[in-house]
Amino acid sequence: LFLFQESMHAYAANVYTSVVEELMKGKQRKFIAVEQEFFRLWWDTVATDTHKQQVHQLLQEGRLEFVIGGQVMHDEAVTLIDDQILQLTEGHGFLYETFGVRPRFSWHVDPFGASATTPTLFALAGFNAHLISRIDYDLKADMQKNKKLQFVWRGSPSLSERQEIFTHVMDQYSYCTPSQIPFSNRSGFYWNGFATFPDPPKDGVYPNMSLPVTDTNIQQYAQTMVANIKERAAWFRTSDVLWPWGCDKQFFNASVQYSNMDLLLDYINKHSDEFGVTVRYATVGDYFQAVYSRNLTWEIRDFQDFIPYSTEPFQAWTGFYTSRSTLKGIARRASSLLYAGESFFTQYVRKHPAGSICKCGALKQLQSLRWAVSEVQHHDGITGTESPKVKDMYMSNLMYGMFNVKKLMASIIFDINNVKKNGEVYSSVYSEESEMPDVDQYVVVYNPLAWNITTFVTVSVSHSAVSVYDEVGQSVPAQVQSSVESSSTYDLYILAAVSGLSYRKYKVKPLNGLQSAFIGRSVKYKRKDLTRADQESQQLLPVVNNCYQVLFDLNTNLMHSITERETNQTVQLTQEFLEYHVNGDVMKGPISDNYLFAPNASAVPVSKAVGLEVVAGSLMTEIRQYFYSNVTTQDYIHAVYTRMYTVPEGYDGKFLCHRIEQEYSVGPLEFNREAVLRTSTNLNTRQLLYTDSNGYQIQKRPFKAYVNNTVARNYYPMVQTAYIEDDTTRLMLLAERAHGVSSQGNGQVEVMLHRRLWNNLQWDLNYDLTLNDSSVVRPVIWLILGTKAVTNTLYRTSGLALEHRPVVMFGAFSGDKPKLPRQLQQNSVHRSPVTVPPNLHLQILSIPGWQYNSNHAEQVHSIHMGKQKQGDADFSRVLLRVRHLYEVGEDPVLSQPVVVNLKSLLTGLGPVTAVEERSLTGTWDVNTLKRWKWKSAQYPSKGFSNITGTSENCIVTVHPKEIRTFFVYFQGQ
C-alpha cells in the first residue's frame, strides 16, 4: 500500500534476495512478483549472477510468476489510459527482453475501485484473466453471498466479446492472509513479523513475529487455516480456493515464512481425509488454470465499473480524486511532454540520420521521463495518498525527466537549424516558464497531435509594443495585455496554426512596427456584495464571439447565462465557489483524509463579494472574477479567468470558437476545507451525470440516495471529461488533470478543485497522511455548450487538444539569416509528416529502443543461449499505436470504421518496408496471441479468442474504440 522510498528500496532488495534463495530450497515452493519498478531495482543493483541464473530457472519451472508485469500496480480512478498503457509497456518490454516471458494474469488487488477500462487493456495485452479486490463493501457482501464474485467482464461496449476477460473479485478477506488467529495475539500467519527497514534488527528478531509452528500448536494452526478455507469456499462456484499468503511488506524474511508454511501444508495434506481439504503452493496462473479447466458457464458483466469505492457506511474513498491537485497536474503535464518528445525524437532519427545528437543519450533522456511518468501512476502516487516525502520524490523525478526532454527537444531544434545549414544560431533555448528577454526572439511551437491545430500560445513579454512574424516575414495575429500574474509583465497571445507533428517558428520583435499586436484593454467593475445584490434592476454585460454570447450580471459580477448562437439556445448558468467543511477529529465522527471524503453537511458558499475585470481585445476577451470573503477584505480567496476567442478570417477557428476556457486560482485553503466550483444551470438533467473512464469511454452516473454519506458516495473521478444534459442541450467540461466531480442537484455539476485537511487518526499520523496541502492550485477547465450532435463532434478532439497543448520553446538567434526561397520555407514547415482523420488518435509514435527479437521462438532461444544483445538500443523499430475515439453508434459519421494505409500515413518519415501488428504492449505478434475463451451464457463453446486479424499490405481498418499497435520498419535500416 505504501511507497516509502528509503525503506522500500531496502525492503524490496531484501524480499527478492530472500525469496529467490528460499525458492531454490524446496521444489514445491512458489511466489508471484508484481511491480517491475522494484524487481528491476533489485535486478540491476542487488542481484548477483547466481541470483540471476536462479530467476531464469524458477521462471522456466513456473515457480516464480510475474503477474501484471507493469512498472507499478496503477491506480484505476484518476489515471489516463495513455499512462496506464505506458507503464504496462515499460514493464512488459523489460520482462520480454530479459526473460522472454509475457504476463498472462492481473493482480489488481489494491487500487481504490475498479475501472471498466482496465479489463479492456488487460485483454488487449493478452491476459487470460483479471483479478480485483476493492469494490463497495455492500456490493461485495451481496456478490459473495450469491457466489457471483467471478464473471466474464465486457469492459467496452464497442469491443464487447472480442476483448472480454474473466474477472475474479477477492472475497471479504481481500489479498492478505488472516492476521488474527484465536490462539495467539501476534501476527497470525506471518512468522516474519513486522518489516522494519532501512534498519533491520541485527539478531533477526522482528517485532510481532508469530509463534513458530511446533508439534504442540500445529493442530491449532491447521484447524484455523482449514476453517478459513472452508468459509471462503462457500462463496465460490468451484472447489478451488485462492488463499493469498502474504500482504503489504511481507516475505522480507522468506526463510522463516517458508519453513513454517512447509510444515503446515504438509500436515494438512497428511490429514486431508480428516480436514476435507488439500493444499498446495500455487501462482495466480495455477489458480486460474484450475478454474478454467472446470469448464463452467459464467455470467457476463457489461461495461459498468466498480467506482466509487466505500469500505464502510461513512468511508467513501472519493477524496483521492482531488488530493494533491498539483501533483496530479504535473503528472499530466509530464505525460504530455513525453508524448511530444517521443514523436519529435522519432522524426529526428528518421529524417536526420546524420544528425549530431547522440541517439543513445537522447533515449536515456526520454527514458528518465518514461520511468517518472510510469511510477507516478502507482495507486499511492497520482492518487495523492502518499506522505509529503514520497510526493516530493515523485515530483523531483517528474521535474528531472521533464528537464531532460525539454533539453533534448531544444537540442534537436538547435541541430536542425544549425548555422552550417542556414545561418541561424540559437544562443539559448529557454523553457516555457521563463520570461523573454528584450531581443529579437523566436518562439518555437511544436504540435504533438496528428491533426492540424489552430490555437493560442501565451508568452510573457516585458513590453506591450510588440509585433509577431512567421518564418517568411508575414505578420501573425497576436494580442498583448496586462498579465494576471504580475504587474510588470504582459501576456502575449499568438495565434498559432501548426500542422500535425510539426513545428512553427514565430519571431517576436519588441518595437512599434507597422503591424503591432492588438492591445487588450481593461475595464474594472465595482466589487459587488452578494448578500445585498439588488435583484430589481438587472444589468447584464454581454461578451460575444462567433459561437457564444455570455452574459454577466453586474449586480453580482457572476455569470448569468450562455447563448449558443447557431441554435440560439440560451442556458441560464451561474458559477460559485463553495466549501465542504469536514471533521478531522476521530472522537467526533467520520473524518476526511487523503483517501476519504466525509462532509459534515452540504457545501457552503465561500465568498460574500465578487470583483470583476474585463480585458477586451480583437482576438480575445478575458473575464477576471475575484472572490472575496467580504466586501472590504484586501486579498481574494479564489479567482476565475474566463477566455473567449475570436478567430480572424482565413484561420480555422471551429475549435477555438467553441470553447470557453477557464483557469482557476484556488487556495491556500483553511484547514479541513474542500473547495468546489459549482456550475448551476436550468437544464433539466434529472441529476444524471456522465464522466469519463480514464479518458477512454464515458460512464453514466445516476444520482443514488444512500442511508448515510450520500454526498460523498455520489462523487466520481473526472479524468478528462464530464457532462450534464437535457433532451436537447449538453454542457461539457474538459480537464487537464483529474478531479472529483458530482451532480448534487438537478442541472448542477460541481468539480472539487482542492483539499486541505488535518486529522488525528493514529494510522494517518504514523504515515504522515494528513494532507496539510497549503498550496495554491491553478487548474484549467474548458466548457463546451451545444446540441448533443455538435458537442459529440467537438469534445474528443478538444479534450486531446487540452491534454496535448503545443510545446512552446524560446530561442534567441544571432547571425545573419539568409532568406530561403519562399517555396522551400513553406514546405519545410507546413507539410505534416503524419496526419490522421478526426476520429482517430495517434496514441504513440516512438522509438522504444528494445533489443528483443519480435520472433518469439528466436527471442526465447537467444535468452536460453545467453545471447541477449548487450550494448546499443535498437533505433530501427518504431512503435505506432492508433486509437479510434468513438463508440459504435455514437455519431453517424465519426463512429464509422477508418481505413488507414500505414505506408502512406508514415510516408513523411520515409519508405516503410515492414509492418507487424502487435499486442497492446508490443510483446505478442497478434497472429500468435491466443487468449482463453471462457464459456458464457451467450457463447457456450470454450476455446481461444483471437485479437482482430491483422492487415494485408499495410492497409488496416480501425473499428470503433479499437486500440491497434504496430512495429514499423523503414528502408535503409
PDB file of all heavy atoms in Angstrom, residues 458-461 480-493 520 524 613 615 622 624 626 641 643 778:
ATOM      1  N   THR A 458       0.693  31.328 -25.247  1.00  0.00           N
ATOM      2  CA  THR A 458       0.912  32.521 -24.414  1.00  0.00           C
ATOM      3  C   THR A 458       2.390  32.653 -24.090  1.00  0.00           C
ATOM      4  O   THR A 458       3.026  31.670 -23.706  1.00  0.00           O
ATOM      5  CB  THR A 458       0.140  32.397 -23.092  1.00  0.00           C
ATOM      6  OG1 THR A 458      -1.145  31.869 -23.371  1.00  0.00           O
ATOM      7  CG2 THR A 458      -0.004  33.751 -22.424  1.00  0.00           C
ATOM      8  N   VAL A 459       2.890  33.860 -24.224  1.00  0.00           N
ATOM      9  CA  VAL A 459       4.285  34.135 -23.952  1.00  0.00           C
ATOM     10  C   VAL A 459       4.324  35.379 -23.069  1.00  0.00           C
ATOM     11  O   VAL A 459       3.557  36.315 -23.282  1.00  0.00           O
ATOM     12  CB  VAL A 459       5.018  34.415 -25.292  1.00  0.00           C
ATOM     13  CG1 VAL A 459       6.437  34.858 -25.034  1.00  0.00           C
ATOM     14  CG2 VAL A 459       4.983  33.192 -26.181  1.00  0.00           C
ATOM     15  N   SER A 460       5.209  35.364 -22.097  1.00  0.00           N
ATOM     16  CA  SER A 460       5.321  36.529 -21.219  1.00  0.00           C
ATOM     17  C   SER A 460       6.330  37.516 -21.825  1.00  0.00           C
ATOM     18  O   SER A 460       7.436  37.122 -22.175  1.00  0.00           O
ATOM     19  CB  SER A 460       5.797  36.042 -19.851  1.00  0.00           C
ATOM     20  OG  SER A 460       5.807  37.095 -18.952  1.00  0.00           O
ATOM     21  N   VAL A 461       5.920  38.789 -21.971  1.00  0.00           N
ATOM     22  CA  VAL A 461       6.835  39.793 -22.544  1.00  0.00           C
ATOM     23  C   VAL A 461       6.896  41.019 -21.631  1.00  0.00           C
ATOM     24  O   VAL A 461       6.016  41.223 -20.802  1.00  0.00           O
ATOM     25  CB  VAL A 461       6.384  40.229 -23.973  1.00  0.00           C
ATOM     26  CG1 VAL A 461       6.567  39.119 -24.980  1.00  0.00           C
ATOM     27  CG2 VAL A 461       4.940  40.726 -23.967  1.00  0.00           C
ATOM     28  N   VAL A 480      -1.796  41.488 -26.961  1.00  0.00           N
ATOM     29  CA  VAL A 480      -0.981  41.644 -25.754  1.00  0.00           C
ATOM     30  C   VAL A 480      -1.814  42.387 -24.708  1.00  0.00           C
ATOM     31  O   VAL A 480      -2.600  43.271 -25.048  1.00  0.00           O
ATOM     32  CB  VAL A 480       0.349  42.372 -26.078  1.00  0.00           C
ATOM     33  CG1 VAL A 480       0.119  43.816 -26.450  1.00  0.00           C
ATOM     34  CG2 VAL A 480       1.335  42.249 -24.934  1.00  0.00           C
ATOM     35  N   GLN A 481      -1.658  41.985 -23.460  1.00  0.00           N
ATOM     36  CA  GLN A 481      -2.448  42.638 -22.399  1.00  0.00           C
ATOM     37  C   GLN A 481      -1.754  42.468 -21.054  1.00  0.00           C
ATOM     38  O   GLN A 481      -0.834  41.663 -20.908  1.00  0.00           O
ATOM     39  CB  GLN A 481      -3.841  42.026 -22.342  1.00  0.00           C
ATOM     40  CG  GLN A 481      -3.847  40.546 -22.071  1.00  0.00           C
ATOM     41  CD  GLN A 481      -5.185  39.909 -22.443  1.00  0.00           C
ATOM     42  OE1 GLN A 481      -5.772  40.216 -23.468  1.00  0.00           O
ATOM     43  NE2 GLN A 481      -5.667  39.018 -21.596  1.00  0.00           N
ATOM     44  N   SER A 482      -2.219  43.242 -20.069  1.00  0.00           N
ATOM     45  CA  SER A 482      -1.601  43.156 -18.745  1.00  0.00           C
ATOM     46  C   SER A 482      -1.726  41.728 -18.222  1.00  0.00           C
ATOM     47  O   SER A 482      -2.729  41.054 -18.443  1.00  0.00           O
ATOM     48  CB  SER A 482      -2.308  44.124 -17.799  1.00  0.00           C
ATOM     49  OG  SER A 482      -3.641  43.679 -17.603  1.00  0.00           O
ATOM     50  N   SER A 483      -0.700  41.278 -17.526  1.00  0.00           N
ATOM     51  CA  SER A 483      -0.668  39.895 -17.053  1.00  0.00           C
ATOM     52  C   SER A 483      -1.500  39.734 -15.778  1.00  0.00           C
ATOM     53  O   SER A 483      -1.546  40.633 -14.948  1.00  0.00           O
ATOM     54  CB  SER A 483       0.777  39.496 -16.766  1.00  0.00           C
ATOM     55  OG  SER A 483       0.796  38.295 -16.056  1.00  0.00           O
ATOM     56  N   VAL A 484      -2.108  38.580 -15.663  1.00  0.00           N
ATOM     57  CA  VAL A 484      -2.844  38.248 -14.440  1.00  0.00           C
ATOM     58  C   VAL A 484      -1.833  38.083 -13.308  1.00  0.00           C
ATOM     59  O   VAL A 484      -2.070  38.456 -12.166  1.00  0.00           O
ATOM     60  CB  VAL A 484      -3.586  36.899 -14.653  1.00  0.00           C
ATOM     61  CG1 VAL A 484      -4.044  36.322 -13.326  1.00  0.00           C
ATOM     62  CG2 VAL A 484      -4.764  37.091 -15.593  1.00  0.00           C
ATOM     63  N   GLU A 485      -0.688  37.517 -13.662  1.00  0.00           N
ATOM     64  CA  GLU A 485       0.283  37.090 -12.651  1.00  0.00           C
ATOM     65  C   GLU A 485       1.069  38.250 -12.053  1.00  0.00           C
ATOM     66  O   GLU A 485       1.330  38.260 -10.864  1.00  0.00           O
ATOM     67  CB  GLU A 485       1.291  36.118 -13.289  1.00  0.00           C
ATOM     68  CG  GLU A 485       0.701  34.772 -13.637  1.00  0.00           C
ATOM     69  CD  GLU A 485       0.297  33.995 -12.401  1.00  0.00           C
ATOM     70  OE1 GLU A 485       1.179  33.643 -11.610  1.00  0.00           O
ATOM     71  OE2 GLU A 485      -0.908  33.761 -12.218  1.00  0.00           O
ATOM     72  N   SER A 486       1.511  39.183 -12.905  1.00  0.00           N
ATOM     73  CA  SER A 486       2.407  40.196 -12.355  1.00  0.00           C
ATOM     74  C   SER A 486       2.123  41.551 -13.003  1.00  0.00           C
ATOM     75  O   SER A 486       1.723  41.630 -14.158  1.00  0.00           O
ATOM     76  CB  SER A 486       3.861  39.790 -12.597  1.00  0.00           C
ATOM     77  OG  SER A 486       4.358  40.429 -13.737  1.00  0.00           O
ATOM     78  N   SER A 487       2.369  42.617 -12.247  1.00  0.00           N
ATOM     79  CA  SER A 487       2.032  43.948 -12.755  1.00  0.00           C
ATOM     80  C   SER A 487       3.107  44.460 -13.703  1.00  0.00           C
ATOM     81  O   SER A 487       2.886  45.408 -14.439  1.00  0.00           O
ATOM     82  CB  SER A 487       1.867  44.899 -11.579  1.00  0.00           C
ATOM     83  OG  SER A 487       2.992  44.770 -10.732  1.00  0.00           O
ATOM     84  N   SER A 488       4.282  43.816 -13.700  1.00  0.00           N
ATOM     85  CA  SER A 488       5.387  44.367 -14.517  1.00  0.00           C
ATOM     86  C   SER A 488       5.493  43.703 -15.887  1.00  0.00           C
ATOM     87  O   SER A 488       6.294  44.116 -16.706  1.00  0.00           O
ATOM     88  CB  SER A 488       6.706  44.196 -13.766  1.00  0.00           C
ATOM     89  OG  SER A 488       6.911  42.815 -13.539  1.00  0.00           O
ATOM     90  N   THR A 489       4.720  42.644 -16.137  1.00  0.00           N
ATOM     91  CA  THR A 489       4.838  41.973 -17.432  1.00  0.00           C
ATOM     92  C   THR A 489       3.502  41.949 -18.161  1.00  0.00           C
ATOM     93  O   THR A 489       2.455  42.276 -17.592  1.00  0.00           O
ATOM     94  CB  THR A 489       5.315  40.511 -17.262  1.00  0.00           C
ATOM     95  OG1 THR A 489       4.333  39.810 -16.502  1.00  0.00           O
ATOM     96  CG2 THR A 489       6.655  40.425 -16.582  1.00  0.00           C
ATOM     97  N   TYR A 490       3.576  41.541 -19.435  1.00  0.00           N
ATOM     98  CA  TYR A 490       2.395  41.435 -20.269  1.00  0.00           C
ATOM     99  C   TYR A 490       2.273  40.001 -20.793  1.00  0.00           C
ATOM    100  O   TYR A 490       3.281  39.311 -20.948  1.00  0.00           O
ATOM    101  CB  TYR A 490       2.497  42.394 -21.463  1.00  0.00           C
ATOM    102  CG  TYR A 490       2.541  43.842 -21.041  1.00  0.00           C
ATOM    103  CD1 TYR A 490       3.751  44.457 -20.744  1.00  0.00           C
ATOM    104  CD2 TYR A 490       1.370  44.590 -20.929  1.00  0.00           C
ATOM    105  CE1 TYR A 490       3.795  45.787 -20.340  1.00  0.00           C
ATOM    106  CE2 TYR A 490       1.394  45.911 -20.525  1.00  0.00           C
ATOM    107  CZ  TYR A 490       2.603  46.503 -20.230  1.00  0.00           C
ATOM    108  OH  TYR A 490       2.637  47.811 -19.829  1.00  0.00           O
ATOM    109  N   ASP A 491       1.036  39.587 -21.065  1.00  0.00           N
ATOM    110  CA  ASP A 491       0.814  38.291 -21.701  1.00  0.00           C
ATOM    111  C   ASP A 491       0.611  38.528 -23.190  1.00  0.00           C
ATOM    112  O   ASP A 491      -0.258  39.314 -23.583  1.00  0.00           O
ATOM    113  CB  ASP A 491      -0.448  37.608 -21.139  1.00  0.00           C
ATOM    114  CG  ASP A 491      -0.249  37.157 -19.693  1.00  0.00           C
ATOM    115  OD1 ASP A 491       0.915  36.925 -19.309  1.00  0.00           O
ATOM    116  OD2 ASP A 491      -1.249  37.053 -18.959  1.00  0.00           O
ATOM    117  N   LEU A 492       1.419  37.847 -23.992  1.00  0.00           N
ATOM    118  CA  LEU A 492       1.275  37.932 -25.448  1.00  0.00           C
ATOM    119  C   LEU A 492       0.626  36.635 -25.931  1.00  0.00           C
ATOM    120  O   LEU A 492       1.166  35.556 -25.704  1.00  0.00           O
ATOM    121  CB  LEU A 492       2.645  38.121 -26.098  1.00  0.00           C
ATOM    122  CG  LEU A 492       2.683  38.065 -27.636  1.00  0.00           C
ATOM    123  CD1 LEU A 492       1.898  39.227 -28.246  1.00  0.00           C
ATOM    124  CD2 LEU A 492       4.135  38.081 -28.138  1.00  0.00           C
ATOM    125  N   TYR A 493      -0.536  36.763 -26.557  1.00  0.00           N
ATOM    126  CA  TYR A 493      -1.237  35.602 -27.115  1.00  0.00           C
ATOM    127  C   TYR A 493      -0.969  35.573 -28.620  1.00  0.00           C
ATOM    128  O   TYR A 493      -1.319  36.526 -29.324  1.00  0.00           O
ATOM    129  CB  TYR A 493      -2.749  35.723 -26.865  1.00  0.00           C
ATOM    130  CG  TYR A 493      -3.119  35.471 -25.417  1.00  0.00           C
ATOM    131  CD1 TYR A 493      -3.009  36.488 -24.463  1.00  0.00           C
ATOM    132  CD2 TYR A 493      -3.549  34.209 -25.012  1.00  0.00           C
ATOM    133  CE1 TYR A 493      -3.327  36.257 -23.137  1.00  0.00           C
ATOM    134  CE2 TYR A 493      -3.875  33.966 -23.676  1.00  0.00           C
ATOM    135  CZ  TYR A 493      -3.758  34.993 -22.750  1.00  0.00           C
ATOM    136  OH  TYR A 493      -4.069  34.736 -21.433  1.00  0.00           O
ATOM    137  N   GLY A 520      -5.165  44.378 -25.547  1.00  0.00           N
ATOM    138  CA  GLY A 520      -6.352  44.082 -24.755  1.00  0.00           C
ATOM    139  C   GLY A 520      -6.564  45.201 -23.744  1.00  0.00           C
ATOM    140  O   GLY A 520      -5.657  45.513 -22.968  1.00  0.00           O
ATOM    141  N   LYS A 524     -12.403  47.758 -15.184  1.00  0.00           N
ATOM    142  CA  LYS A 524     -12.654  47.153 -13.873  1.00  0.00           C
ATOM    143  C   LYS A 524     -14.022  47.594 -13.379  1.00  0.00           C
ATOM    144  O   LYS A 524     -14.364  48.767 -13.467  1.00  0.00           O
ATOM    145  CB  LYS A 524     -11.582  47.583 -12.868  1.00  0.00           C
ATOM    146  CG  LYS A 524     -10.216  46.966 -13.125  1.00  0.00           C
ATOM    147  CD  LYS A 524      -9.292  47.175 -11.921  1.00  0.00           C
ATOM    148  CE  LYS A 524      -8.023  46.338 -11.981  1.00  0.00           C
ATOM    149  NZ  LYS A 524      -6.996  46.884 -12.890  1.00  0.00           N
ATOM    150  N   GLU A 613     -13.189  42.151 -13.647  1.00  0.00           N
ATOM    151  CA  GLU A 613     -12.400  42.946 -14.585  1.00  0.00           C
ATOM    152  C   GLU A 613     -12.546  42.291 -15.950  1.00  0.00           C
ATOM    153  O   GLU A 613     -12.451  41.066 -16.056  1.00  0.00           O
ATOM    154  CB  GLU A 613     -10.925  42.948 -14.153  1.00  0.00           C
ATOM    155  CG  GLU A 613     -10.026  43.735 -15.080  1.00  0.00           C
ATOM    156  CD  GLU A 613      -8.538  43.614 -14.706  1.00  0.00           C
ATOM    157  OE1 GLU A 613      -8.206  42.944 -13.712  1.00  0.00           O
ATOM    158  OE2 GLU A 613      -7.716  44.194 -15.436  1.00  0.00           O
ATOM    159  N   VAL A 615     -11.003  42.244 -19.789  1.00  0.00           N
ATOM    160  CA  VAL A 615      -9.926  42.696 -20.664  1.00  0.00           C
ATOM    161  C   VAL A 615     -10.328  42.317 -22.084  1.00  0.00           C
ATOM    162  O   VAL A 615     -10.394  41.136 -22.418  1.00  0.00           O
ATOM    163  CB  VAL A 615      -8.586  42.034 -20.291  1.00  0.00           C
ATOM    164  CG1 VAL A 615      -7.466  42.575 -21.179  1.00  0.00           C
ATOM    165  CG2 VAL A 615      -8.276  42.271 -18.822  1.00  0.00           C
ATOM    166  N   GLU A 622     -10.905  38.405 -21.968  1.00  0.00           N
ATOM    167  CA  GLU A 622     -10.661  37.647 -20.738  1.00  0.00           C
ATOM    168  C   GLU A 622     -11.482  38.278 -19.625  1.00  0.00           C
ATOM    169  O   GLU A 622     -11.404  39.483 -19.388  1.00  0.00           O
ATOM    170  CB  GLU A 622      -9.180  37.675 -20.376  1.00  0.00           C
ATOM    171  CG  GLU A 622      -8.857  36.888 -19.122  1.00  0.00           C
ATOM    172  CD  GLU A 622      -7.352  36.792 -18.870  1.00  0.00           C
ATOM    173  OE1 GLU A 622      -6.709  37.842 -18.673  1.00  0.00           O
ATOM    174  OE2 GLU A 622      -6.845  35.663 -18.880  1.00  0.00           O
ATOM    175  N   ARG A 624     -12.058  38.390 -15.725  1.00  0.00           N
ATOM    176  CA  ARG A 624     -11.375  38.014 -14.479  1.00  0.00           C
ATOM    177  C   ARG A 624     -12.315  38.262 -13.311  1.00  0.00           C
ATOM    178  O   ARG A 624     -12.694  39.398 -13.058  1.00  0.00           O
ATOM    179  CB  ARG A 624     -10.093  38.836 -14.318  1.00  0.00           C
ATOM    180  CG  ARG A 624      -9.125  38.668 -15.483  1.00  0.00           C
ATOM    181  CD  ARG A 624      -7.946  39.640 -15.416  1.00  0.00           C
ATOM    182  NE  ARG A 624      -7.026  39.426 -16.536  1.00  0.00           N
ATOM    183  CZ  ARG A 624      -5.952  40.187 -16.789  1.00  0.00           C
ATOM    184  NH1 ARG A 624      -5.689  41.225 -15.992  1.00  0.00           N
ATOM    185  NH2 ARG A 624      -5.173  39.925 -17.812  1.00  0.00           N
ATOM    186  N   TYR A 626     -12.899  37.838  -9.196  1.00  0.00           N
ATOM    187  CA  TYR A 626     -12.163  37.637  -7.944  1.00  0.00           C
ATOM    188  C   TYR A 626     -13.158  37.446  -6.820  1.00  0.00           C
ATOM    189  O   TYR A 626     -14.073  38.264  -6.655  1.00  0.00           O
ATOM    190  CB  TYR A 626     -11.263  38.837  -7.667  1.00  0.00           C
ATOM    191  CG  TYR A 626     -10.231  39.052  -8.766  1.00  0.00           C
ATOM    192  CD1 TYR A 626     -10.448  39.991  -9.778  1.00  0.00           C
ATOM    193  CD2 TYR A 626      -9.073  38.286  -8.805  1.00  0.00           C
ATOM    194  CE1 TYR A 626      -9.516  40.169 -10.801  1.00  0.00           C
ATOM    195  CE2 TYR A 626      -8.134  38.450  -9.824  1.00  0.00           C
ATOM    196  CZ  TYR A 626      -8.362  39.382 -10.821  1.00  0.00           C
ATOM    197  OH  TYR A 626      -7.439  39.542 -11.822  1.00  0.00           O
ATOM    198  N   TYR A 641     -10.548  32.930 -14.322  1.00  0.00           N
ATOM    199  CA  TYR A 641     -10.194  33.684 -15.525  1.00  0.00           C
ATOM    200  C   TYR A 641     -10.849  32.965 -16.699  1.00  0.00           C
ATOM    201  O   TYR A 641     -10.522  31.814 -16.982  1.00  0.00           O
ATOM    202  CB  TYR A 641      -8.673  33.727 -15.708  1.00  0.00           C
ATOM    203  CG  TYR A 641      -7.972  34.213 -14.459  1.00  0.00           C
ATOM    204  CD1 TYR A 641      -7.260  33.323 -13.639  1.00  0.00           C
ATOM    205  CD2 TYR A 641      -8.046  35.552 -14.068  1.00  0.00           C
ATOM    206  CE1 TYR A 641      -6.644  33.758 -12.472  1.00  0.00           C
ATOM    207  CE2 TYR A 641      -7.422  35.992 -12.904  1.00  0.00           C
ATOM    208  CZ  TYR A 641      -6.732  35.094 -12.107  1.00  0.00           C
ATOM    209  OH  TYR A 641      -6.127  35.518 -10.951  1.00  0.00           O
ATOM    210  N   ARG A 643     -11.754  32.828 -20.733  1.00  0.00           N
ATOM    211  CA  ARG A 643     -11.270  33.384 -22.014  1.00  0.00           C
ATOM    212  C   ARG A 643     -12.146  32.925 -23.169  1.00  0.00           C
ATOM    213  O   ARG A 643     -12.470  31.737 -23.260  1.00  0.00           O
ATOM    214  CB  ARG A 643      -9.823  32.962 -22.262  1.00  0.00           C
ATOM    215  CG  ARG A 643      -8.897  33.403 -21.163  1.00  0.00           C
ATOM    216  CD  ARG A 643      -7.439  33.063 -21.357  1.00  0.00           C
ATOM    217  NE  ARG A 643      -6.759  33.313 -20.087  1.00  0.00           N
ATOM    218  CZ  ARG A 643      -6.324  32.351 -19.270  1.00  0.00           C
ATOM    219  NH1 ARG A 643      -6.445  31.096 -19.600  1.00  0.00           N
ATOM    220  NH2 ARG A 643      -5.750  32.672 -18.131  1.00  0.00           N
ATOM    221  N   ARG A 778      -3.828  25.825  -9.788  1.00  0.00           N
ATOM    222  CA  ARG A 778      -4.238  26.592 -10.973  1.00  0.00           C
ATOM    223  C   ARG A 778      -4.764  25.657 -12.065  1.00  0.00           C
ATOM    224  O   ARG A 778      -4.203  25.603 -13.161  1.00  0.00           O
ATOM    225  CB  ARG A 778      -3.041  27.364 -11.541  1.00  0.00           C
ATOM    226  CG  ARG A 778      -2.342  28.315 -10.584  1.00  0.00           C
ATOM    227  CD  ARG A 778      -3.131  29.569 -10.258  1.00  0.00           C
ATOM    228  NE  ARG A 778      -3.574  30.322 -11.397  1.00  0.00           N
ATOM    229  CZ  ARG A 778      -3.095  31.511 -11.755  1.00  0.00           C
ATOM    230  NH1 ARG A 778      -2.112  32.076 -11.076  1.00  0.00           N
ATOM    231  NH2 ARG A 778      -3.600  32.153 -12.786  1.00  0.00           N
TER     232      ARG A 778
END
